[in-house]
Amino acid sequence: ACRNHCPLALQACISSIPGYRGWECDYSQLEFRIAAQMASDDGLIETFNNREADIFDYMTSQVTGWTRDMMKTNTYLTLFGGQDKRRSISLGIDMAESQERGREFYRAFPKLMWIAEQAEALAKRDGYISYWSGRRRHLHPFDARKAFNALTQGGGFEIVTPSAHSSQMSPR
């Protein structure tokens, strides 16, 4: 995938040990799945578990006036710590509409807001968040809003890393 999407200068920095092949693995919407599970959002979890369903089609059906692409962009912006200004820029809408879209999103998916607020509160109180392995991600109080993102992406890392280390990487 890097060959198709990365600049040539970056491609030159990514290489395998001579005699071995590099692997690329994609865990479909891993961070978002972790977020849905952490939030205990039954609608999101059920949709993820239905192989015939599309998560963004489901989410779009829960609000009025959103396209699937808008929902997908907004969802990942939200999961990765984007706020009103970033939503405004990414969706090409003014700030007032961006703020209303954010409120609509959280009205439709209040458990995502709740778990994000809980993660932020813990990060402000403790100065870090903990992963289930015991590993910690330290966050300055100013960056506490990034705690939920850290949990979802770090949680993905916690899931993927043992699998990568235990897999048998063999020569060509």
Side-chain angles (χ1 to χ4, degrees):
C2 186
R3 194 166 289 152
N4 298 326
H5 302 289
C6 296
L8 289 175
L10 180 58
Q11 288 179 38
C13 298
I14 301 170
S15 63
S16 304
I17 297 170
Y20 287 77
R21 291 182 182 176
W23 288 21
E24 175 186 336
C25 299
D26 179 17
Y27 290 79
S28 180
Q29 301 159 331
L30 178 62
E31 292 94 348
F32 189 12
R33 291 171 185 267
I34 291 169
Q37 192 67 45
M38 289 176 66
S40 299
D41 188 306
D42 293 335
L44 295 176
I45 293 167
E46 287 174 22
T47 305
F48 274 126
N49 288 335
N50 178 350
R51 293 179 185 261
E52 303 301 315
D54 178 274
I55 191 68
F56 299 110
D57 286 342
Y58 163 74
M59 294 177 78
T60 303
S61 76
Q62 303 302 302
V63 294
T64 304
W66 289 59
T67 66
R68 182 189 181 283
D69 287 343
M70 288 172 65
M71 181 58 72
K72 184 175 181 178
T73 298
N74 183 72
T75 299
Y76 283 113
L77 277 170
T78 301
L79 290 178
F80 298 143
Q83 296 179 331
D84 294 331
K85 183 176 181 182
R86 176 61 53 200
R87 183 183 306 107
S88 172
I89 293 166
S90 296
L91 296 179
I93 56 179
D94 64 35
M95 279 297 287
E97 183 178 354
S98 177
Q99 291 166 340
E100 180 55 30
R101 293 282 182 176
R103 288 189 292 271
E104 288 174 0
F105 181 81
Y106 282 127
R107 277 193 300 270
F109 307 102
K111 291 182 177 183
L112 286 176
M113 183 169 105
W114 180 84
I115 196 65
E117 288 173 345
Q118 295 301 306
E120 183 175 349
L122 285 172
K124 283 180 179 175
R125 185 190 76 197
D126 299 337
Y128 63 88
I129 49 101
S130 294
Y131 301 103
W132 46 85
S133 66
R135 194 170 57 91
R136 292 181 176 179
R137 167 72 157 88
H138 292 271
L139 293 160
H140 187 278
F142 176 77
D143 287 331
R145 68 179 176 77
K146 298 177 182 177
F148 186 51
N149 168 265
L151 283 172
T152 57
Q153 287 195 316
F157 174 82
E158 298 277 313
I159 291 169
V160 172
T161 300
S163 298
H165 286 298
S166 68
S167 66
Q168 295 292 326
M169 303 299 245
S170 59
R172 293 181 191 171

